[in-house]
Amino acid sequence: QGIAGVVPHAMAVSPQDPYEIYVSTASSGILTSNNGGQSWQETGTARYITPGWPKEEGVLAFDHVTPTRLYLGDRCPNSPYDVPCVRISEDGAQSWNDISLPVPAEFGELDGETYAVAPHPNRPGHVLAGVSFHPGFDNAETKGTIYASEDYGNTWVPVTTTQPISAVTHFAHDALDADTIYAGTSGTGLWKSSDGGANWQPMASWPGCSQIIVLAAHPHRSGWLYAQGKWEGGICESRLLFSSDGGETWQVLQDDVDLDLRKFLVMPDNTSTLYVGSSGSGMYRSRDNGQTWEHIASLPGDAIVYALAAGMDEERVVLYVASSAGLATSAAQADNAGIVAAEIIPGVDSVMNAGVYRLSTRRLNQRTYLPLVLR
């Protein structure tokens, strides 16, 4: 409640409290809720956060070692070109410290923007940032760089790669060996590092599709990786792929459901429950590691899912979905469908229902004990 009609493009859930959630929006900056979305507070960051196209969830992230620290990837104004930066908050997004990333000489005449931020799960202070450099707002010819920080994002150095890399949009750490890290790009496929991000190599085993749309590592199974690509065709086009050996081999998971995937999430307490969000057909869930899928009917069927996030405590798992949730997500779509504004506002499938949806469930394998009195 409270942010109807606003579509968050990134969400982050506190590692300490699954009901403390932060969302980044293009129009209102960072909004926060400490009661699972029952109410929201503006943080006054609208004037700081650069508006733009929806980004990936990883652009907004909590530090795993110091969970009171929040990172936001962005671009900071500079003359004559914007520079990539990482904004850091220590007080619940009320104030931010802007850290500009050094721009390599070859990108000096391009605008830069941080697309992904990935704090290391168990190395204090170690953070990676994925960056795009592009001419103005034309993202068609993007170049990229991976940056590393060893002091919680206060200073950054670019990581040298053996060959050119395009904009870096995703990071994923292995469940057991967190120094094994995967990076998804906008045009040069899937990359891998085995030393905590110091050295990177493109994965020759990735089956084509240069743009990575979905990338996630299973939170409990080492070597389990989920990914989907776009543009190049091949088996990864509009297919969710799965690897159980760190990306050496791949198999198609949802061959029977042709989805325009946009987001992906493994439930944190369950090794077999997966959620995918699409770009226009709502959400799907699998309870068997992606072998079969069911449509989530409680979300509008033509919704665009912009972000997925989950958190848990000792009793519950909480799943959040940021969705357009409307019959028409733009004036052009409404016009093409012959829909007038009066028809799309009142109903369930309405643009006014855009925002954050929440699902709370009991943690897997929990039992409730009640006293039995015998007489």
Side-chain angles (χ1 to χ4, degrees), residues 4 24 36-37 55 74 78 91 112 122-123 148 178 183 187 194 204 206 225 229 242 244-245 254-255 268 316 364:
S24 178
K55 303 172 185 177
D74 206 343
N78 194 40
D91 57 5
N122 47 41
R123 276 176 58 183
S194 300
W206 172 246
L225 195 65
F242 167 69
S244 61
D245 54 10
Q254 37 82 235
D255 194 29
R316 300 176 185 85
L364 189 67

Side-chain angles (χ1 to χ4, degrees), residues 101-358:
L101 280 58
V103 179
E106 63 266 32
F107 303 140
E109 295 184 359
L110 298 174
D111 286 319
E113 184 169 2
T114 303
Y115 279 7
V117 182
H120 197 283
N122 47 41
R123 276 176 58 183
H126 185 71
V127 190
L128 296 177
V131 168
S132 168
F133 290 100
H134 48 266
F137 287 97
D138 181 9
N139 292 335
E141 298 182 2
T142 62
K143 300 178 181 180
T145 302
I146 295 174
Y147 287 79
S149 172
E150 297 293 344
D151 57 3
Y152 293 99
N154 290 296
T155 59
W156 296 87
V157 293
V159 178
T160 302
T161 55
T162 56
Q163 62 189 67
I165 188 171
S166 59
V168 179
T169 56
H170 299 74
F171 287 111
H173 290 81
D174 184 80
L176 297 182
D177 179 12
D179 282 339
T180 297
I181 311 169
Y182 305 89
T185 70
S186 66
T188 51
L190 189 62
W191 292 59
K192 183 177 181 179
S193 172
S194 300
D195 55 10
N199 295 280
W200 293 86
Q201 296 290 337
M203 297 191 68
S205 59
W206 172 246
C209 291
S210 57
Q211 184 187 16
I212 303 299
I213 303 298
V214 167
L215 177 63
H218 198 286
H220 305 297
R221 300 290 185 90
S222 180
W224 282 31
L225 195 65
Y226 304 88
Q228 186 220 347
K230 192 176 180 182
W231 285 358
E232 293 292 331
I235 66 167
C236 61
E237 181 72 35
S238 297
R239 294 291 187 269
L240 179 62
L241 302 185
F242 167 69
S243 174
S244 61
D245 54 10
E248 295 301 319
T249 59
W250 296 88
Q251 68 180 82
V252 176
L253 278 187
Q254 37 82 235
D255 194 29
D256 58 332
V257 182
D258 189 6
L259 300 176
D260 183 5
L261 298 184
R262 193 180 187 106
K263 303 298 174 185
F264 176 86
L265 180 74
V266 183
M267 288 297 276
D269 73 323
N270 194 328
T271 60
S272 60
T273 299
L274 317 175
Y275 285 86
V276 296
S278 73
S279 182
S281 59
M283 283 186 61
Y284 291 79
R285 174 176 57 208
S286 172
R287 301 179 188 271
D288 53 11
N289 283 316
Q291 300 304 313
T292 59
W293 295 85
E294 58 182 320
H295 188 256
I296 305 299
S298 57
L299 207 64
D302 56 356
I304 298 175
V305 175
Y306 285 96
L308 293 171
M312 65 180 181
D313 57 18
E314 294 179 354
E315 298 179 351
R316 300 176 185 85
V317 179
V318 186
L319 172 65
Y320 296 95
V321 182
S323 173
S324 63
L327 282 173
T329 56
S330 69
Q333 289 184 14
D335 184 64
N336 291 337
I339 300 171
V340 297
E343 294 174 324
I344 63 176
I345 291 178
V348 173
D349 293 339
S350 164
V351 292
M352 297 305 292
N353 283 324
V356 176
Y357 289 71
R358 185 188 73 217

